[in-house]
Structure formats: C-alpha cells, structure tokens
Amino acid sequence: MNAFDKIIGYSYVKTELQQISDTLKSREVYDNLGVAAPRGLLLYGEPGVGKSLMANAIIEDSGRTAFICRKDQPNGDFVKEIKATFDKAAKNEPSIVYLDDMDKFANGDERHPDAEEYVTVQSCIDEIKGKQVFVLATANNIRCLPRSLRRAGRFDRMIEIDTPHGQDAINIISHYLDGKKFVDGIDAKTIARIMDGHSCAELETVINEAGIQAGYQRAESITMEHFIVACLRTVFDVPALCG
C-alpha cells in the first residue's frame, strides 16, 4: 500500500496530489524540461473531509522531511515559531513546511486579513524562493486568508476538498462498514443516501455510534433503528438511546 491508497474515494484529488508529489521526488525529470515545481499547495474545505490525511500522504510519498507549524502558542511567540519553522526547512532542503489549519493562525476574523501571522507567512514564503522548500497548507475557511497570500507564486495550487458525494461517498462508507455487523438491507448505498452532504468524519462517527448503540442493547447485529439514533445523536445532537 502506498501513501495515497489510504485516501478512499476522491480520485480527482488523488491524481493532483500524486502529480505534485512526483514534482517533489523526481526533480530531474522536470528540470530537464526546464519547468519549476509548484511552490505551494493549499487544501481547503470544511472540517472532517480528510485534508490532513491528504497532506500527510504527500509528505510520506515525497520522502521529504516535513517541518510542521500549527497554532499552539500565544501570538507573539507563534510569529517567532513560524519564522523558525521556515528557517529549519531552508537549512534541511529538500523539505516541506506544513502549515496545519492555517486559517487559525490569526484570530479568524475575516475583516482582518493583514494579521501579523499571515504577513509573516507571506514574507517567509518569499524568502525561500529558489530553495527546494515546498509549502503545504490546510485551511477550513480560506476567506480568513488574505488574497495576497493565496495568489500564484505563493500557493500555485489550491484544491477545494468537498464533502463526499455519489460513488466517493459509497466507497468511503464501504470502508467504514468493513468488519461491522449490520443487518441485511443496510449497505453503503443506503447510508450514502441518508448521509448525503456530510463529512468523512461524520460518516465514520455515525457508523461507529450505531454499533455502540447495538452493543449497549446486546443486539446481535446493527439495525436501521441503531443507525437512525446514531444520526440523531451525531448530526442533530439529540442524546437518545435505543430501547
């Protein structure tokens, strides 16, 4: 199993991720063509759709050392941490700077895109130009990020990761159903119709919660009643138990 096999569904996204990873680990191919690798990739979409999994797949497949930066310090200290992360990546090229949940770096207010944290990220990206340092970032709400940061030359590619639909949802649900004892008639297609538009994390949680309900009842298998209760609990925050 390679790193991208861990991503279920999202075939259109995986193709792009694999292409980007190839530019990072096969530089001579692209150098011979006289083209430059993308300088940065921003994966964005609502929480729970697998952005971190996809980012980690690029890191693993590329074989590059990744220097991770996420907001876990007060503002002043965090600005220093951003700079230190880019400095370490520059000294250890070829490398990756992974900016996890970048829209949380500042206060999250869409009306203040010029926060010091974002200005620092922009400056650091500009300073590593010409070095083999790839900038990989995830964000839930890109409206919090200044347009100057999102432009080509900083993040050459931006990919929106949507909630799974259609066959993607069926494939993901089938993966979560594997090994779980549901009654006949409840399959991935049925659950996909009920849970259309919900994130991967919600799908996984609802399916597991249905099993918890069945286990609490000492049922021999997981029924539609268990699944509906799990939906009410997880999606609508209704604290109910079967029976």
Side-chain angles (χ1 to χ4, degrees):
M1 174 183 288
N2 67 39
F4 294 107
D5 290 336
K6 299 174 185 176
I7 303 171
I8 310 300
Y10 290 106
S11 56
Y12 72 100
V13 175
K14 281 201 285 189
T15 298
E16 283 210 57
L17 299 180
Q18 288 170 324
Q19 183 187 68
I20 290 170
S21 181
D22 190 62
T23 67
L24 300 179
K25 65 184 181 181
S26 304
R27 281 303 316 140
E28 67 284 352
V29 174
Y30 299 91
D31 287 342
N32 288 337
L33 293 172
V35 297
R39 296 187 61 196
L41 167 66
L42 174 59
L43 301 171
Y44 68 97
E46 70 175 68
V49 293
K51 300 184 297 295
S52 295
L53 176 66
M54 295 173 186
N56 283 313
I58 286 183
I59 292 170
E60 181 181 339
D61 187 71
S62 70
R64 290 192 177 192
T65 300
F67 296 88
I68 302 172
C69 186
R70 56 175 59 96
K71 181 67 178 287
D72 57 3
Q73 300 179 34
N75 290 348
D77 292 337
F78 184 57
V79 168
K80 294 177 183 177
E81 179 62 23
I82 294 171
K83 294 177 180 177
T85 301
F86 275 88
D87 286 343
K88 285 185 286 188
K91 292 175 182 176
N92 291 274
E93 58 178 321
S95 59
I96 292 175
V97 170
Y98 177 24
L99 307 172
D100 190 24
D101 281 338
M102 187 168 60
D103 55 325
K104 296 178 182 177
F105 280 16
N107 61 11
D109 190 338
E110 295 175 17
R111 294 170 297 176
H112 295 88
D114 295 326
E116 185 180 6
E117 292 84 355
Y118 298 139
V119 173
T120 301
V121 171
Q122 291 181 182
S123 175
C124 288
I125 291 175
D126 293 344
E127 287 175 5
I128 61 169
K129 186 174 182 179
K131 294 183 179 293
Q132 291 192 58
V133 178
F134 183 73
V135 183
L136 178 60
T138 60
N140 297 328
N141 183 5
I142 62 168
R143 290 178 297 177
C144 293
L145 306 175
R147 290 186 179 181
S148 56
L149 177 56
R150 290 181 273 152
R151 70 167 174 80
R154 288 181 176 139
F155 287 99
D156 296 325
R157 292 204 188 183
M158 297 197 305
I159 303 176
E160 181 176 10
I161 312 300
D162 198 3
T163 53
H165 297 279
Q167 192 60 47
D168 276 345
I170 292 171
N171 291 342
I172 291 167
I173 292 167
S174 295
H175 174 72
Y176 293 145
L177 288 176
D178 188 39
K180 294 179 177 62
K181 192 175 180 181
F182 273 80
V183 298
D184 292 341
I186 302 179
D187 55 17
K189 290 183 179 179
T190 301
I191 294 176
R193 287 196 294 269
I194 296 171
M195 294 290 292
D196 184 56
H198 289 276
S199 70
C200 305
E202 288 176 309
L203 295 175
E204 182 178 18
T205 300
V206 166
I207 291 168
N208 194 69
E209 179 65 29
I212 290 174
Q213 297 294 327
Y216 183 74
Q217 280 195 324
R218 302 298 188 267
E220 293 184 359
S221 57
I222 307 167
T223 67
M224 180 57 77
E225 182 184 2
H226 298 131
F227 180 74
I228 294 301
V229 169
C231 285
L232 290 172
R233 187 182 188 88
T234 303
V235 178
F236 299 104
D237 198 26
V238 178
L241 292 172
C242 294

